[in-house]
Amino acid sequence: MQRSLISLAVMALLGLTSGLAPLTVAAAPAAKAANKVTTQLPRNAVPTHYAVSLTPDAAKSSFSASVTIALDIKQASNSITLNAADLKFSTVSISAGPGKPALAASKINVDNDKQTATFEFAQPLAVGSYQLKLDYTGVIGTQATGMFSLDYQNGGDKKRALYTQFENSEARRVIPSWDEPFYKATFALEATVPAGQMAVSNMPVASTSKLADGRELVRFATSPKMSTYLLFFGLGEFERATAVEGGTELGVVTQKGSIGQAQFALDSSVAVLKEYNDYFGVKYPLPKLDNIAAPGRSQFFSAMENWGAIFTFESAILLDPRVATQSDKETSFLVAAHEMAHQWFGDLVTMAWWDDLWLNEGFASWMESRTTTRLHPEWKWELRAVGTREQAMSRDALATTHPVVQHISTVEQASQAFDSITYQKGESVIRMLENYVGDDAWRAGVRSYMAKHAYGNTVSDDLWREVEKAAHKPVTAIAHDFTLKPGVPMIRVADAVCKNGQTTIALTQGEFSKDQTDKKPLSWRVPVIAQTVGGAPVRAIVNGKAGMTLPGCGTVLVNAGQSGYYRTLYASKAFAALTESFAGLATIDQMGLLSDSWSLGMAGLMPASSFMDLASKAPVDAAPQVWDQIADSLASLHYSYEGKPEQQAALDRYARKRLAPVLARIGWTKAADEAAPVANLRETLINVLGAVGDEGVVAEARRRYAASATDKDAMPAALRRPILGVIAANADAATWDQLHAAAREEKSSMIKSELYDLLGTTKDKALAQRALELALTDEGGATEGAAILNRVAGHHPDMAYDFAIGHYAQLEKKVDGSSRSRYFPGLGGRSADLAMIAKLHAYAKQYLPAEAQGDTKTAIASIQYRVKLRTTRLPEIDSWLAKHG
């Protein structure tokens, strides 16, 4: 699953037919591990196959269905309990097999709170094999949960398409099932659909039959053994582009008329599949792999790895030439690479329970980055590793963090596990461990893991076991430190001593925390790489205190190459030497040093002005990624000064002074031989300079926006988004109305969504109120309201939160169920007013069970840290600006 961009997924279905490419590996036996895996269901029955028949009625937002479940009774019982939610059963019966007499259920007990259905029978069911037949009906929602509909405009006509989203625990809304990842089974799906519409599932269509009433019965080939959350069904007026790689048919499915926007995604899929077939050593086993692009959005995810039928919202994968930017192109590739990695990590080999969700998401995130670096070296994606690490550490350094491997006991906890610890920390730890054991050994371990556990379930130690065998290094102990313990290690570096052409440094391992400065630090075995600048790197495992001897004399750099997941805190003399050497460091080390100085300074472990000292050393022709990072940090400072106009004005003057020459150097117009990262930097600079009030940028954005009415070249695709961003943020009532009219009139579902988003980004409070009121309507689509309100929270978090809670009943329906426990705290969590804390406590008490309050606690911790930063750290920035501004 791709967390909502940033943060973005949906689901999957079927498998074993003559068209299925066989794997020459054996599935690992799982029975002996079954009792060790968390479950919310009795273990007296185990499903082996589901035969599902669906009849959706899109117009009535409902469906009727039947399922025959082949199952094995392991312990004699007179009842069977499985997962079911929002389903109404008409008949329930069980038999010992085809042609055997059926026994009707004597009682049906539905527990809405536990999301289960229990079927009781008049006589005990002996140990053996049975077929459980269920007839039932269900609902089609408007948010991305279970089976849902998405309405959109196509050529001026209103259309409705159907999709499913089952991760993490939503298959039970469509199929009564053992809806836990450990219960793998095969699936055979058939659907009765309107003639002329395309039905899509995990496996290819096996047959299509015309029915007497004009509808069609579509049968899909049987799936391989897989978890319920990977089942998928889609239906609508679609078209499909295809290509073939290694005997697998790859496809991209879009609404009619949009297939031309899918070519890059299709080409990317071909290249990625070839790469993955080689890397994993296990060929992709299904006969086809589709990527289904859908209008609308979710507050929870942007794409979902359904086996053979990846679901992706249009904005995350399609490239409309009228609006697509370089960053859109990168996103399209990343999403494809991430979800396709899941076809192995997650689909072929699945975590036994949600405790090890990171085995899916951390590895897919790492694989997407590795593959992007390999297949698109011109994007310099390896430099993004620093930003990935920072996302994780920002969350991991709060007291409310959790280990990568965490105990999950409820559906709500599973939903909240899709966070930056699971994704970004997981990815960063993998990168560090791969660097520690070496690329070849790591890949050998991964290949062995895939072959050994194909079609089965695993826990993290299954992977460490295979990597350790391949690497002949103590990987498990280090991996346990970083996945079973929460928090961020910190390496303190004392001043260096140079003697006889060698440099000696003393290192002390502690813990970096933003809000627990007096806690006893945890201990990790930390792989450290250090060097004198320009010298050969030296490796060591640091646990407690350690000394390192480096060849050469000169400035010392620790975490050289930035593969380590830890903060580096230098003694003042050592940091001063690095500051003076900044311009000559490798780009990735410049970025790592900037990140550490920012976070350590804001946490009070070094002067907050240290970041400003480093940033002032960046030459105007520094790497685009370095300037991207500096611009983002200055923007963060700008927003931290909200409510302090004089201090904010001083910061803004400095930001304009530093950033305007960089934009002048690269210009507003793309050069013929321009590198891709420069295009991304241009977007960032226009946005940030617009935010800090650069009159030239705001004037140029307004000029181009006005001219675009008659001159299509005034606002080319590469500049459209940043220009509109500046316009919307600084809009007056007339401009806001103009943007609103454009959103209403836009025919493209993807562009329409983007325009409605812009309406929520205004700095004007009265216009923000209008955006909030608009969010209550379905004008932009049923999935747009929550997004507009989320945008308003960017400038007006307290206002947005109060509005959301004041209209909770209405807005709750506009947020997909998996997002609700984090969506509302996420609005208030951006506040810098301590009064918000009491509001969040009241929200959690009224609406959330105790186990679903993790994101609320994190929001509160973020507010407390933000207030602390403003009161204790910004004065140091003020003093620096007074001296250097």
Side-chain angles (χ1 to χ4, degrees), residues 797-798 828 830-840 863-864 866-867 870:
D798 300 89
R830 300 181 223 182
S831 174
D833 185 349
L834 289 173
M836 178 60 70
I837 294 175
K839 295 179 184 180
L840 288 170
I863 294 168
Q864 292 169 330
R866 191 172 297 111
V867 171
R870 290 186 176 198

Side-chain angles (χ1 to χ4, degrees), residues 122-195:
Q123 61 191 59
L125 303 172
V127 173
S129 298
Y130 293 84
Q131 289 193 339
L132 178 66
K133 188 175 187 305
L134 311 171
D135 295 308
Y136 59 97
T137 58
V139 296
I140 298 174
T142 59
Q143 304 298 325
T145 301
M147 187 182 296
F148 62 99
S149 63
L150 290 173
D151 293 342
Y152 61 96
Q153 294 288 326
N154 184 289
D157 298 325
K158 187 175 181 179
K159 303 292 183 181
R160 173 169 290 181
L162 302 181
Y163 309 92
T164 58
Q165 162 59 17
F166 291 165
E167 192 177 29
N168 46 276
S169 307
E170 309 293 350
R172 63 193 65 178
R173 298 185 186 280
V174 180
I175 301 171
S177 56
W178 281 259
D179 193 19
E180 297 179 0
F182 185 78
Y183 288 103
K184 287 193 166 187
T186 55
F187 293 81
L189 176 68
E190 66 176 29
T192 301
V193 304

Side-chain angles (χ1 to χ4, degrees), residues 39-88:
T39 182
Q40 296 174 329
L41 295 170
R43 288 234 182 255
N44 66 315
V46 176
T48 58
H49 178 73
Y50 295 84
V52 185
S53 181
L54 290 176
T55 304
D57 188 332
K60 294 182 179 179
S61 297
S62 64
F63 66 89
S64 59
S66 66
V67 59
T68 299
I69 307 172
L71 55 88
D72 295 327
I73 298 293
K74 300 293 186 180
Q75 300 171 8
S77 174
N78 67 345
S79 69
I80 293 175
T81 299
L82 44 62
N83 292 115
D86 298 330
L87 302 179
K88 294 182 178 180

Side-chain angles (χ1 to χ4, degrees), residues 775-811:
L776 291 180
T777 73
D778 283 341
E779 180 186 304
T783 63
E784 191 58 48
I788 295 173
L789 201 150
N790 196 31
R791 292 289 189 173
V792 173
H795 285 296
H796 313 281
D798 300 89
M799 179 180 174
Y801 178 82
D802 291 344
F803 184 88
I805 297 301
H807 298 84
Y808 186 84
Q810 292 165 274
L811 282 165

Side-chain angles (χ1 to χ4, degrees), residues 584-598:
L585 298 178
T587 299
I588 197 166
D589 291 320
Q590 290 178 334
M591 297 173 72
L593 199 57
L594 284 166
S595 294
D596 276 340
S597 65
W598 170 269

